[in-house]
Amino acid sequence: MTISAETANDIRNRETALREWMGNRTSYHPDELPAHINPPTNEERSALEVFEFLRDKPARYFLYISAEKKLATTWTGEELGRVTFGRTYRDNFGGERVAITVHAISGDTYHGTYYKSSGDYARIKKSIKRETFKMEVEFTDTFGGEANYSWVKRATLTFPVGASDRAIMRAAKQAMGLNAVRGRLDSHGDAFEFRPYRSATVMFVSTVY
């Protein structure tokens, strides 16, 4: 649903009038509404969100993820961008998270985290052009093929923009004491996963945004 600035202002004013009438209440029955209150529909609220997203080009944003369609959306499902999924990992409480890149409808690129096990939502941050970038390195043990974190070694490395994958992995392996170690390398766009042969260990190399 595409709207004009005039329509966006009308929706915003109607939402404000509703909130002012409700006060501290969190719900109401339609029969209670005064004649001068015309609440926006959920479709109108979603259209207003898209309008303001395109207008403001926010530095940070909270949105929803449709993993099946690979879309970032408003809470009602209106598209805000296309999603590329990176490495899946677990937080300190065992929750499953996924690194994502969002190619927004505004033309901007965002990076962030999809909180997969907690719900269909994500927090993202707009990419800023830099001469250098940082990558976090984690080296830990595995159990049943999954990262176990009974011990972990970490480092943060800085690279010039345009650094090759080979240069990144060479520096990461050196930081973890794996210079001469061979293994299987998987690339996830902005992250790498290295599993040394004949060793129950794994190394993750992830871009810091």
Side-chain angles (χ1 to χ4, degrees):
M1 180 179 178
T2 303
I3 61 174
S4 64
E6 183 180 2
T7 301
N9 192 53
D10 174 66
I11 296 171
R12 198 179 299 112
N13 289 339
R14 286 158 52 205
E15 182 70 23
T16 299
L18 174 66
R19 296 301 170 188
E20 289 177 349
W21 170 75
M22 289 180 63
N24 295 326
R25 298 167 60 182
T26 58
S27 63
Y28 64 90
H29 191 279
D31 292 342
E32 299 178 81
L33 287 172
H36 69 283
I37 300 294
N38 179 22
T41 64
N42 287 338
E43 183 181 22
E44 288 177 318
R45 291 187 176 101
S46 184
L48 176 61
E49 181 180 349
V50 173
F51 176 86
E52 293 178 339
F53 182 79
L54 287 167
R55 182 196 64 190
D56 300 339
K57 294 178 176 284
R60 298 174 183 271
Y61 212 70
F62 177 96
L63 42 67
Y64 295 85
I65 301 297
S66 173
E68 185 176 326
K69 296 180 180 178
K70 298 183 178 179
L71 290 179
T73 72
T74 65
W75 71 282
T76 58
E78 194 154 356
E79 181 180 348
L80 292 174
R82 308 290 301 183
V83 180
T84 301
F85 296 94
R87 177 171 73 89
T88 298
Y89 59 98
R90 294 190 178 277
D91 59 26
N92 294 334
F93 301 98
E96 192 173 8
R97 301 184 178 189
V98 184
I100 60 171
T101 299
V102 177
H103 306 283
I105 57 175
S106 61
D108 297 305
T109 300
Y110 290 81
H111 297 280
T113 303
Y114 165 35
Y115 298 86
K116 184 176 180 180
S117 60
S118 302
D120 296 328
Y121 67 90
R123 298 183 187 278
I124 57 174
K125 181 179 179 181
K126 187 189 293 185
S127 300
I128 301 174
K129 292 183 179 180
R130 298 184 175 93
E131 294 183 358
T132 61
F133 65 98
K134 295 182 182 294
M135 299 198 79
E136 290 182 344
V137 185
E138 289 184 339
F139 182 48
T140 186
D141 64 318
T142 62
F143 182 78
E146 298 293 327
N148 190 43
Y149 291 100
S150 65
W151 57 264
V152 59
K153 184 177 180 181
R154 293 187 173 93
T156 301
L157 306 177
T158 301
F159 299 95
V161 171
S164 67
D165 292 356
R166 183 175 181 180
I168 292 171
M169 288 307 303
R170 183 167 59 244
K173 290 175 69 175
Q174 183 175 1
M176 296 296 107
L178 301 173
N179 302 55
V181 176
R182 297 172 62 84
R184 190 182 81 245
L185 176 65
D186 292 315
S187 174
H188 303 289
D190 57 355
F192 303 91
E193 180 180 306
F194 176 72
R195 292 180 179 267
Y197 293 137
R198 296 179 295 280
S199 174
T201 56
V202 61
M203 180 177 71
F204 299 116
V205 186
S206 306
T207 305
V208 178
Y209 296 107

